[in-house]
Amino acid sequence: MEYKKKMLICDDTMEGIFTAVYDGWRWENRGFSVGIAVREPDHPELFTENLEIISDSVKAFKVARTIKTRLGGQVYEAVCYAAASVHPEKGTAIFYLLRRALEKGRADTRVLEALADPAVSLVSSLQVKVWHEIHRFYGFVRFREIGSGVLFSEIQPENDILELLAPHFSDRFPNENWMIYDKKRQKVLAHEQGGECTVYIQAVLNTQEMDPVQSDEYENLWKAFCSHITIPERKNPGLQRQFIPLKFRSNMPEFS
């Protein structure tokens, strides 16, 4: 059977997607239509061959370098944010945005303005959604000390934003040993005092064993502050949910 389309199935990581973009370029230049999926499709497409793509750091680096040097930091940031999304079509959208920006040897640094293009529109939309979630977690992450001066926080974000939180918290706590645990994806972002951040995957942590040995004075003060500034007569649960959605509260001590 002659296949007209190649569906490249890769890891749901930036390295995996960039590797698929690299390989997809070759197939596209040979006349095939290309799609990129981060999981096996539930329903196979007709006249489509599924190809498993193994993540390759060298290929991924080349793609990242090309985006940065030829299209600029704004496009690179948009692509990275879109790659962190949970949207199933993100890989294909990223691929065709880059094809549009780099086709025939050109370098369209203003490709994000072409919102009439479905791929560009989707990448831009995903960038905004992921950006909003990142900035919410800047304010909603709560650390507690778990012994030996290590600060620990547990989060369950909708999108895979753990690595994207690293610059913010590294800048805020450069002289602290801290960890942020994405329970949903079993990943840990760890920062050593005065050092760089490291991501550990497939990290299954028993967070109950990480409870502080003694009550955290600052956590108790924070709870007391939140309790004392509350005015029962002005309680507005609907407005409160707009500012602090329910999905964030399970990891916030003031709601425990």
Side-chain angles (χ1 to χ4, degrees), residues 14 17-18 21-22 25 59-80 83 94-95 97-99 101-102 107-109 111-112:
M14 198 174 303
I17 293 172
F18 281 3
V21 167
Y22 185 97
W25 215 272
K59 292 179 179 179
F61 173 77
K62 290 180 179 179
V63 171
R65 182 181 59 190
T66 298
I67 300 171
K68 291 177 183 177
T69 56
R70 299 192 61 192
L71 300 179
Q74 186 177 6
V75 175
Y76 181 73
E77 181 181 273
V79 168
C80 290
I94 290 170
F95 177 78
L97 178 146
L98 295 176
R99 285 292 294 189
L102 297 168
D108 184 3
T109 59
V111 66
L112 294 174

Side-chain angles (χ1 to χ4, degrees), residues 1-38:
M1 179 182 293
E2 183 180 358
Y3 296 104
K4 300 296 184 182
K5 180 176 180 179
K6 304 292 183 181
M7 180 60 72
L8 310 183
I9 303 172
C10 62
D11 293 334
D12 191 3
T13 62
M14 198 174 303
E15 183 177 286
I17 293 172
F18 281 3
T19 302
V21 167
Y22 185 97
D23 289 347
W25 215 272
R26 175 168 54 89
W27 290 113
E28 184 85 6
N29 290 338
R30 292 172 59 182
F32 291 92
S33 177
V34 171
I36 296 177
V38 294

Side-chain angles (χ1 to χ4, degrees), residues 1 11 13 16 39 41 54 74 81 119 167 174 193 198 220 228:
M1 179 182 293
D11 293 334
T13 62
R39 62 185 64 88
I54 299 175
Q74 186 177 6
Y81 278 37
Q193 180 180 4
T198 304
N220 291 335
H228 282 80

Side-chain angles (χ1 to χ4, degrees), residues 87-256:
H87 197 287
E89 301 294 331
K90 62 182 179 180
T92 302
I94 290 170
F95 177 78
Y96 282 104
L97 178 146
L98 295 176
R99 285 292 294 189
R100 178 188 178 97
L102 297 168
E103 65 181 352
K104 298 180 181 179
R106 68 173 185 169
D108 184 3
T109 59
R110 301 176 63 180
V111 66
L112 294 174
E113 298 177 11
L115 294 176
D117 186 306
V120 176
S121 178
L122 180 56
V123 169
S124 297
S125 174
L126 297 180
Q127 177 194 15
V128 171
K129 290 180 180 178
V130 171
W131 182 89
H132 277 293
E133 185 174 40
I134 290 171
H135 279 258
R136 283 195 160 186
F137 271 99
Y138 285 166
F140 293 154
V141 166
R142 298 289 186 265
F143 287 100
R144 69 177 190 269
E145 189 172 345
I146 58 174
S148 301
V150 177
L151 303 178
F152 177 81
S153 178
E154 180 180 322
I155 61 174
Q156 300 181 60
E158 178 183 357
N159 300 292
D160 189 6
I161 63 172
L162 192 63
E163 290 94 332
L164 299 175
L165 294 173
H168 175 80
F169 288 102
S170 294
D171 184 60
R172 285 195 68 186
F173 306 112
N175 298 317
E176 302 286 350
N177 296 315
W178 52 262
M179 297 190 304
I180 301 177
Y181 176 48
D182 184 344
K183 184 178 180 180
K184 185 176 180 180
R185 296 172 180 81
Q186 297 183 344
K187 295 169 60 177
V188 173
L189 176 68
H191 177 271
E192 186 176 359
Q193 180 180 4
E196 301 294 330
C197 287
T198 304
V199 175
Y200 299 93
I201 61 175
Q202 298 180 346
V204 182
L205 303 182
N206 187 344
T207 55
Q208 292 183 346
E209 295 180 355
M210 294 184 177
D211 287 337
V213 177
Q214 57 185 4
S215 180
D216 190 317
E217 179 182 356
Y218 290 101
E219 183 174 317
N220 291 335
L221 286 172
W222 175 246
K223 289 182 178 180
F225 169 75
C226 292
S227 176
H228 282 80
I229 65 171
T230 300
I231 303 175
E233 291 78 12
R234 301 185 64 181
K235 187 175 181 180
N236 188 337
L239 183 61
Q240 188 185 61
R241 284 193 293 270
Q242 290 183 29
F243 287 100
I244 309 178
L246 297 176
K247 64 181 180 180
F248 295 103
R249 300 185 187 185
S250 61
N251 302 123
M252 300 177 69
E254 56 266 46
F255 289 98
S256 62

